[in-house]
Amino acid sequence: MKIEKFIIEYSNSDFKRIRFDWNGKHGDDLEDPNMDFRMEVCEFLIKDFSIANDELILDLYQELSKSSKETWGIYRSYHLFAQEILNRGRTKYLLNYLKGASQSFDTGLASGRINLTNMERQEILDYIDQEMKNGLNQDNKKYFEFAQKRFAIR
């Protein structure tokens, strides 16, 4: 299937082709049969994110995050996916962004290479404050505490 067609027609049933399918090993023994195709899709997308639906962008970001944790590295354009998630749904997809950013040291650093205005940062901080007032489960609380530091206006 042509990459562009895959991207345009992407649905949940296509996830198996891009998911991080790790064999549980590290170093030279690490295998992920979906890595090459996932990278082809990513490389095509970074030229024009507009052809992809939100589901594909979110799925790729999460799978790149999972991969980073086990490969001890990061896809060089990971930050572009982080930026795209925040552009498409600043607070709608904030938890997706934070979960990916929290996977590893590398995802934490790379996901911080984003450009947001102070107004956009304030929008996120206001949302976090509201969510924390409403009460969060412990898992989400740690993500939002991380976000308070990440999006602090300097």
Side-chain angles (χ1 to χ4, degrees), residues 87-122:
N87 288 348
R88 287 184 180 215
R90 196 141 10 269
T91 57
K92 180 179 180 182
Y93 298 133
L94 181 62
L95 202 51
N96 300 81
Y97 166 85
L98 295 171
K99 286 180 179 180
S102 300
Q103 283 288 321
S104 70
F105 179 75
D106 292 323
T107 60
L109 288 178
S111 64
R113 292 180 52 203
I114 52 173
N115 293 311
L116 295 174
T117 66
N118 283 344
M119 197 164 92
E120 291 166 335
R121 288 175 181 277
Q122 191 61 55

Side-chain angles (χ1 to χ4, degrees), residues 35 46 91 108:
M35 183 170 29
I46 61 172
T91 57

